[in-house]
Amino acid sequence: MTNPRRRYPLIAVAVVALASVGAGARWAVAHKEPHTAEQLAAFQEVFMEQVRTGDALFHGDAETEKKLGVKLSATGMACAMCHPYTSDTHPHEFPKFQEQMNEFATLRDMINWCIEKPNEGEKIDPDGPAMKALEAYIYWSNRHSKLDPGRH
Ligand code: HEC
């Protein structure tokens, strides 16, 4: 049988753990007011605006390219011609080892690879507005895929 005195430290640890969980919960409640429906709608609109911009870029819309100062293709081929409905872009598999580049790559690396190689266009700023919009559109189009990073 366990010596009852040995149990005290365990009980003490449990009490401290429970107390900190409780404190954490109170802290979270105190600092995280639920968002209002209006706020959520505004956040969604910001996101969908990016998705629409990315959609336009993905389909080779010259006006959107001009506005954002990018040239995604020099061949006349838009992303959507090789990737209809963003097929085979596999955003949920990144980051992963990418054979074509022979390196560990993010989705943004691969978007730039496609701009530079098949499209013969000019690489875009990985943190710029065109990249963010393309990323938003590609993720949104694949929103029901299960995350599976590293998959090939
Ligand atoms: C001429 C055809 C063509 C065009 C146009 C094209 N791609 Fe690709 N794309 C490919 C090929 C080929 C691959 C490599 C396929 C593979 O191995 O997964 C690829 C792969 C990708 C991948 C990575 C897929 C993966 O799982 O590794 C992404 C992301 C991607 N393209 C995005 C784009 C974007 C964004 C554009 C437009 C700027 C674009 N592509 C234009 C042919 C094209």
Side-chain angles (χ1 to χ4, degrees):
M1 213 185 119
T2 326
N3 178 347
R5 260 183 298 172
R6 284 226 196 115
R7 289 197 196 132
Y8 291 128
L10 266 184
I11 290 167
V13 166
V15 166
V16 168
L18 277 174
S20 46
V21 166
R26 274 199 302 281
W27 183 88
V29 169
H31 288 81
K32 207 163 192 321
E33 297 293 327
H35 292 114
T36 64
E38 291 76 34
Q39 282 175 314
L40 291 176
F43 297 160
Q44 180 68 5
E45 183 45 33
V46 169
F47 173 64
M48 287 313 292
E49 177 63 30
Q50 292 291 316
V51 170
R52 286 191 291 272
T53 303
D55 186 349
L57 290 172
F58 203 83
H59 287 83
D61 183 66
E63 214 159 281
T64 309
E65 285 194 352
K66 207 170 134 203
K67 207 170 86 191
L68 297 180
V70 294
K71 183 99 187 82
L72 301 184
S73 178
T75 63
M77 295 283 285
C79 316
M81 293 179 189
C82 290
H83 302 284
Y85 301 101
T86 73
S87 56
D88 292 331
T89 53
H90 309 133
H92 53 293
E93 295 180 2
F94 286 88
K96 67 177 171 188
F97 177 78
Q98 191 69 43
E99 240 172 315
Q100 290 91 344
M101 302 167 76
N102 194 29
E103 66 181 41
F104 185 65
T106 62
L107 179 65
R108 292 179 180 197
D109 292 332
M110 202 53 202
I111 290 173
N112 257 335
W113 180 87
C114 257
I115 291 172
E116 203 178 32
K117 303 289 178 189
N119 279 8
E120 298 171 27
E122 295 155 20
K123 268 190 175 183
I124 60 177
D125 177 357
D127 296 318
M131 183 62 91
K132 287 185 185 174
L134 277 170
E135 190 185 65
Y137 174 64
I138 292 172
Y139 275 124
W140 176 80
S141 301
N142 290 271
R143 63 196 177 283
H144 299 303
S145 301
K146 187 172 157 284
L147 277 179
D148 197 5
R151 184 191 163 92
H152 216 279

